[in-house]
Amino acid sequence: MAESSKRQRLSHVNSSSQTSSKRIENMFADSQAEGAGGEGRFVEGAILRITMKNFLTYDYSVVYPGPNLNMIVGANGTGKSSIVCAICLCLAGKTAVLGRGDKVGLYVKRGCKKGHIEIELKKKGGNLVIFREIHAENNQSLWMLNDRQCTQKMVEEEVKTLHIQVSNLCQFLPQEKVGEFAKMSKIELLEATEKSVGPPEMYEYHCELKNFRNKERELEVIEEPYLKVLYTTEERYTVKRSFYSNKISTSNSAVHASQYLTITVDAEQKRQLEQQMKQRDTDERMKALQKEAAALERRDNELLAEKKRLSELKGKKRQLEQKISTKQDSLKQMEQNIIDLKKIELETKEKIAAVNSQKVAILRAKLTMEKVYLALETVGLMAEKNKLENDCREGASELRTVDQKCSRLEQRKVQLTDQCKGLLKRAKAICRMQPDESLPEDLRNAFSKLPDTLDDVDARLNEERSRAECFTGLSENVVEEYNRREQEIKQMEKELEEKSSALNAYRQNISEAKERWLNPLKQLVEQINEKFSAFFRSMQCAGEVDLHSENEEEYDKYGIRIRVKFHASTQLHELTPYHQSGGERSVSTMLYLMALQELNRCPFRVVDEINQGMDPVNERRVFDIVVRTACKETTSQYFFITPKLLQNLTYAEEMTILCVHNGPHMLSPNQWDEKAFVRRCLERKARA
């Protein structure tokens, strides 16, 4: 039987092709005897059963492979490779993997509208049964998982969780792809090996490293710490050395001829520059007006103080006028008194006549003296009156002059204030500010840096005008180009800082990812090399496997290099499609796959007719290595397809032989009597 538990094989009655299997060592033992291990020896993801109906050469057949080495033997055209096709297509593999028909409908048996394949895989917690029904007419498929309809994507995910990779030549090598193994590049072989026997995260780390390195390479161009620029009359040469690889690269570009003195004046640009100058003049003029308004404010305060002083003088004037009026009244009274003296004199004369002459003389003298005194006082008062009148006239004239000046200054103040308000409103409109919005801090700072006097402002204006006149010979796009380049430089400086930070982060990520990936990979390649070299030594040949990279930091250039030597007189040569013969390439391929077998991570491997082209000596040696390696308890399931076997080969108890027969006169599987066959074989052996 095909499996140690000797399960009964199923077949359709009208099958034109059938499969039978039996262990070579137990060929003549009781067909019902139990095997050594049973289903428990199958690793996770191993194939327990393959069912085919109307598929290629099969009407209906069920194959039960064993847990270790499965030798599928049969003549050409019997259907050996059909089993390989069934494994691939039922596990969601692409038709391109098989190298046969590109449409899945071509795998339905000729004359049938549909066919199906079914595979049962070992899985903890319950086996996984994958069913695929193929329709020949429209190349469509119906998928089922454990009798539940599903999508191909769901099947792919389930297969991936069991580490099955039918697209990986290190795990699944169909007949039509055997020659392509030697054509694989070192890089492709490394990736296939990582996926096949490496830890699940190894290939992910490798991809991560390559992505990091690509990002680093993109960012690396912004870091040119060793940059030199040289100019000649016609060329600009740039010489730079890479920060990372230390390689020097050069580039050159043409230097354009100077056009500064030959380009005509751009009227529009000149108008814009004049507007800018007018705006600057307006700003500076407004600054001067503001300062002039402040000076007028101070002068106004001074005039108010002068006005107050003049008001005080007016008060004094009124007091003097009142005093003069009082004195004038006194003088009139004294004049009146003088008039009265004449009357008194007459009366006195009359009295004198009555008194003695001496008394009259004394009285007349007294009166004369009093009159003199009064006359003198009157003269003094008149002089004081004239002086006060003159002072009053002068004060009134000065007051009128001050009032006129105050009036003119008040009018000038109002005029300048209105002008300042108008200029401020215009300036805010130019700056796109609201009328009630206060000046921004930057404008205040700009105003504070302007000159304080009109002379200084005029000097600054003349300087700016002279500077502006120097730009009249520039091309029409110079200012725009300058502003654009200035913005570009700021943006590039910002991007440079961001990219430098990103570059440092990528380098740190690369260092960490490299440590996680490279050391385990080196150990894995060393293990493969040990087994590969041992296999070649057992064949009296030499071979080695190493991790190859021209640049240790170029992670997308890493690869696995296989070097072999089949003759003592030659040196080790890299395995290529051209240097070795077909048989030597087959031996190298087979031994590399066997070196991977004991590092098992995938649940099974398939190799189809790889022994074609081998000479008998090498074929026997390779067969012995395959049996020894694939029949160990620590290895996974192995399918070895071959149309023939040499005589007197060494077999193992753990092997399962699947013999594929084909023909119109074959005994149908349901008529097969295994016990009778064994009995006849024993009788024939006894007679011999």
Coordinates of all heavy atoms in Angstrom, one line a residue, residues 146-185:
N146 N -12.8 22.0 3.2 CA -13.5 21.1 4.2 C -15.0 21.1 3.9 O -15.9 21.4 4.8 CB -13.3 21.6 5.6 CG -11.8 21.3 6.1 OD1 -11.2 20.4 5.5 ND2 -11.4 22.0 7.1
D147 N -15.3 20.9 2.6 CA -16.7 20.8 2.1 C -17.5 22.2 2.2 O -18.7 22.2 2.1 CB -17.5 19.8 2.9 CG -16.9 18.4 2.6 OD1 -16.4 18.1 1.5 OD2 -17.0 17.5 3.6
R148 N -16.8 23.3 2.3 CA -17.4 24.6 2.3 C -16.9 25.4 1.2 O -15.7 25.5 1.0 CB -17.2 25.3 3.6 CG -17.9 24.7 4.8 CD -17.7 25.5 6.1 NE -18.4 25.0 7.2 CZ -18.4 25.5 8.4 NH1 -17.7 26.6 8.6 NH2 -19.0 24.9 9.4
Q149 N -17.8 26.0 0.4 CA -17.3 26.8 -0.8 C -16.5 28.0 -0.3 O -16.9 28.6 0.7 CB -18.5 27.2 -1.6 CG -18.2 27.8 -2.9 CD -19.4 28.0 -3.8 OE1 -20.4 27.4 -3.6 NE2 -19.2 28.8 -4.9
C150 N -15.5 28.3 -1.0 CA -14.6 29.4 -0.7 C -14.0 30.0 -1.9 O -14.4 29.6 -3.1 CB -13.5 28.9 0.3 SG -12.4 27.7 -0.5
T151 N -13.1 31.0 -1.8 CA -12.4 31.6 -2.9 C -11.0 31.1 -3.0 O -10.5 30.5 -2.0 CB -12.4 33.1 -2.7 OG1 -11.6 33.4 -1.5 CG2 -13.8 33.7 -2.5
Q152 N -10.4 31.3 -4.1 CA -9.0 30.9 -4.3 C -8.1 31.6 -3.3 O -7.1 31.1 -2.8 CB -8.6 31.2 -5.7 CG -7.1 30.7 -6.0 CD -6.7 30.9 -7.5 OE1 -7.6 31.1 -8.3 NE2 -5.5 30.9 -7.8
K153 N -8.4 32.9 -3.0 CA -7.6 33.6 -2.0 C -7.6 33.0 -0.7 O -6.5 32.9 0.0 CB -8.2 35.1 -1.9 CG -7.4 36.0 -1.0 CD -6.0 36.3 -1.6 CE -5.3 37.3 -0.7 NZ -3.9 37.5 -1.2
M154 N -8.7 32.5 -0.2 CA -8.8 31.8 1.0 C -7.9 30.5 1.0 O -7.3 30.2 2.0 CB -10.2 31.4 1.4 CG -11.1 32.7 1.6 SD -12.9 32.3 1.7 CE -12.9 31.3 3.2
V155 N -7.9 29.8 -0.1 CA -7.1 28.6 -0.2 C -5.6 29.0 -0.2 O -4.8 28.4 0.5 CB -7.4 27.9 -1.5 CG1 -6.4 26.7 -1.7 CG2 -8.8 27.4 -1.5
E156 N -5.3 30.1 -0.9 CA -3.9 30.5 -0.8 C -3.4 30.9 0.6 O -2.3 30.6 1.0 CB -3.7 31.7 -1.8 CG -3.9 31.4 -3.2 CD -3.9 32.7 -4.1 OE1 -3.9 33.8 -3.5 OE2 -3.9 32.5 -5.3
E157 N -4.3 31.5 1.3 CA -3.9 31.8 2.7 C -3.7 30.6 3.6 O -2.8 30.5 4.4 CB -5.0 32.8 3.3 CG -5.1 34.1 2.7 CD -6.2 35.0 3.2 OE1 -7.0 34.4 4.0 OE2 -6.3 36.1 2.8
E158 N -4.6 29.6 3.4 CA -4.5 28.4 4.2 C -3.2 27.7 3.8 O -2.4 27.1 4.7 CB -5.7 27.5 3.9 CG -7.0 27.9 4.6 CD -6.9 27.7 6.1 OE1 -6.1 27.0 6.6 OE2 -7.8 28.3 6.7
V159 N -2.9 27.6 2.5 CA -1.6 27.0 2.1 C -0.4 27.7 2.6 O 0.6 27.1 3.0 CB -1.6 26.9 0.5 CG1 -0.3 26.5 0.0 CG2 -2.7 25.9 0.0
K160 N -0.5 29.0 2.6 CA 0.7 29.8 3.1 C 0.9 29.5 4.6 O 2.1 29.5 5.0 CB 0.4 31.3 2.9 CG 1.6 32.2 3.2 CD 1.3 33.6 2.9 CE 2.4 34.5 3.3 NZ 2.1 35.9 3.0
T161 N -0.1 29.4 5.4 CA 0.1 29.1 6.8 C 0.7 27.8 7.1 O 1.4 27.6 8.1 CB -1.3 29.1 7.5 OG1 -2.2 28.1 7.0 CG2 -2.0 30.5 7.4
L162 N 0.7 26.8 6.1 CA 1.3 25.5 6.2 C 2.7 25.5 5.6 O 3.3 24.5 5.5 CB 0.4 24.4 5.6 CG -0.9 24.2 6.3 CD1 -1.8 23.2 5.5 CD2 -0.7 23.7 7.7
H163 N 3.2 26.7 5.2 CA 4.5 26.9 4.6 C 4.7 26.1 3.3 O 5.8 25.6 3.0 CB 5.6 26.5 5.6 CG 5.5 27.1 6.9 ND1 5.7 28.5 7.0 CD2 5.2 26.7 8.1 CE1 5.5 28.8 8.3 NE2 5.3 27.7 9.0
I164 N 3.6 26.0 2.5 CA 3.7 25.3 1.2 C 3.9 26.4 0.1 O 3.1 27.3 0.1 CB 2.4 24.5 1.0 CG1 2.2 23.4 2.0 CG2 2.4 23.9 -0.4 CD1 0.9 22.7 1.9
Q165 N 4.9 26.2 -0.7 CA 5.2 27.1 -1.7 C 5.4 26.4 -3.1 O 6.6 26.0 -3.4 CB 6.5 27.9 -1.4 CG 6.4 28.6 0.0 CD 7.8 29.0 0.4 OE1 8.7 29.3 -0.4 NE2 8.0 29.1 1.7
V166 N 4.4 26.2 -3.8 CA 4.5 25.4 -5.0 C 5.2 26.2 -6.1 O 5.6 25.7 -7.2 CB 3.1 25.0 -5.5 CG1 2.5 23.9 -4.6 CG2 2.2 26.1 -5.7
S167 N 5.3 27.5 -5.9 CA 6.1 28.4 -6.9 C 7.5 28.5 -6.6 O 8.3 29.1 -7.4 CB 5.5 29.8 -6.9 OG 5.6 30.4 -5.7
N168 N 8.0 27.8 -5.6 CA 9.4 27.9 -5.2 C 10.1 26.6 -5.7 O 9.8 25.5 -5.3 CB 9.5 27.9 -3.7 CG 10.9 28.2 -3.2 OD1 11.9 28.0 -3.9 ND2 11.1 28.6 -1.9
L169 N 11.1 26.8 -6.6 CA 11.8 25.7 -7.2 C 12.6 24.9 -6.2 O 12.9 23.7 -6.5 CB 12.7 26.2 -8.3 CG 12.1 26.8 -9.5 CD1 13.1 27.1 -10.6 CD2 11.0 25.9 -10.1
C170 N 12.9 25.4 -5.1 CA 13.6 24.7 -4.0 C 12.6 23.7 -3.3 O 13.1 22.9 -2.5 CB 14.2 25.6 -3.0 SG 15.7 26.5 -3.6
Q171 N 11.3 23.9 -3.5 CA 10.3 23.0 -2.9 C 9.6 22.2 -3.9 O 9.2 21.1 -3.7 CB 9.4 23.9 -2.0 CG 8.3 23.0 -1.3 CD 7.4 23.8 -0.5 OE1 7.7 25.0 -0.2 NE2 6.3 23.2 0.0
F172 N 9.3 22.8 -5.0 CA 8.4 22.2 -6.0 C 9.1 22.3 -7.4 O 9.1 23.4 -7.9 CB 7.1 22.8 -6.0 CG 6.0 22.0 -6.7 CD1 5.2 21.1 -6.0 CD2 5.7 22.2 -8.1 CE1 4.3 20.4 -6.7 CE2 4.8 21.5 -8.7 CZ 4.0 20.6 -8.0
L173 N 9.7 21.2 -7.9 CA 10.5 21.2 -9.1 C 9.8 20.3 -10.2 O 10.1 19.1 -10.2 CB 11.9 20.8 -8.8 CG 12.9 21.1 -10.0 CD1 13.0 22.6 -10.3 CD2 14.3 20.6 -9.5
P174 N 8.9 20.9 -11.0 CA 8.2 20.0 -12.0 C 9.2 19.6 -13.1 O 10.3 20.2 -13.2 CB 7.1 20.9 -12.6 CG 7.0 22.1 -11.6 CD 8.3 22.2 -10.9
Q175 N 8.8 18.7 -13.9 CA 9.7 18.1 -15.0 C 10.1 19.2 -15.9 O 11.3 19.3 -16.3 CB 8.9 17.0 -15.7 CG 9.7 16.4 -16.9 CD 8.9 15.3 -17.6 OE1 7.9 15.0 -17.2 NE2 9.5 14.8 -18.7
E176 N 9.2 20.1 -16.3 CA 9.5 21.1 -17.3 C 10.4 22.3 -16.7 O 10.9 23.1 -17.4 CB 8.2 21.8 -17.9 CG 7.5 20.9 -18.9 CD 6.8 19.7 -18.2 OE1 6.7 19.7 -17.0 OE2 6.3 18.8 -18.9
K177 N 10.5 22.3 -15.4 CA 11.3 23.3 -14.7 C 12.6 22.9 -14.2 O 13.4 23.7 -13.6 CB 10.5 23.9 -13.5 CG 9.2 24.6 -14.0 CD 9.4 25.9 -14.7 CE 8.1 26.6 -15.0 NZ 8.3 27.9 -15.6
V178 N 13.0 21.6 -14.4 CA 14.2 21.1 -13.9 C 15.4 21.8 -14.4 O 16.3 22.2 -13.7 CB 14.3 19.5 -14.2 CG1 15.7 19.0 -13.8 CG2 13.3 18.8 -13.4
G179 N 15.4 22.1 -15.7 CA 16.5 22.8 -16.3 C 16.6 24.2 -15.9 O 17.7 24.8 -16.0
E180 N 15.5 24.8 -15.4 CA 15.6 26.2 -15.0 C 16.3 26.4 -13.6 O 16.6 27.5 -13.3 CB 14.1 26.8 -14.9 CG 13.4 26.9 -16.2 CD 12.1 27.6 -16.1 OE1 11.8 28.2 -15.0 OE2 11.4 27.6 -17.1
F181 N 16.4 25.4 -12.8 CA 17.1 25.5 -11.5 C 18.5 26.0 -11.7 O 18.9 26.9 -11.0 CB 17.0 24.2 -10.8 CG 17.5 24.3 -9.4 CD1 16.6 24.6 -8.3 CD2 18.9 24.2 -9.0 CE1 17.1 24.7 -7.0 CE2 19.3 24.3 -7.8 CZ 18.4 24.6 -6.7
A182 N 19.2 25.4 -12.6 CA 20.6 25.8 -12.9 C 20.7 27.2 -13.5 O 21.7 27.9 -13.4 CB 21.3 24.8 -13.7
K183 N 19.5 27.7 -14.1 CA 19.5 29.0 -14.7 C 19.2 30.1 -13.7 O 19.3 31.3 -14.0 CB 18.5 29.0 -15.8 CG 18.8 28.1 -17.0 CD 17.7 28.2 -18.1 CE 18.0 27.2 -19.2 NZ 17.0 27.2 -20.2
M184 N 18.8 29.7 -12.5 CA 18.5 30.7 -11.5 C 19.7 31.5 -11.2 O 20.8 31.0 -11.0 CB 17.9 30.0 -10.2 CG 16.6 29.4 -10.4 SD 16.0 28.5 -8.9 CE 15.9 29.8 -7.8
S185 N 19.5 32.8 -11.0 CA 20.7 33.6 -10.6 C 20.9 33.4 -9.1 O 20.1 32.8 -8.4 CB 20.3 35.1 -10.8 OG 19.3 35.5 -10.0

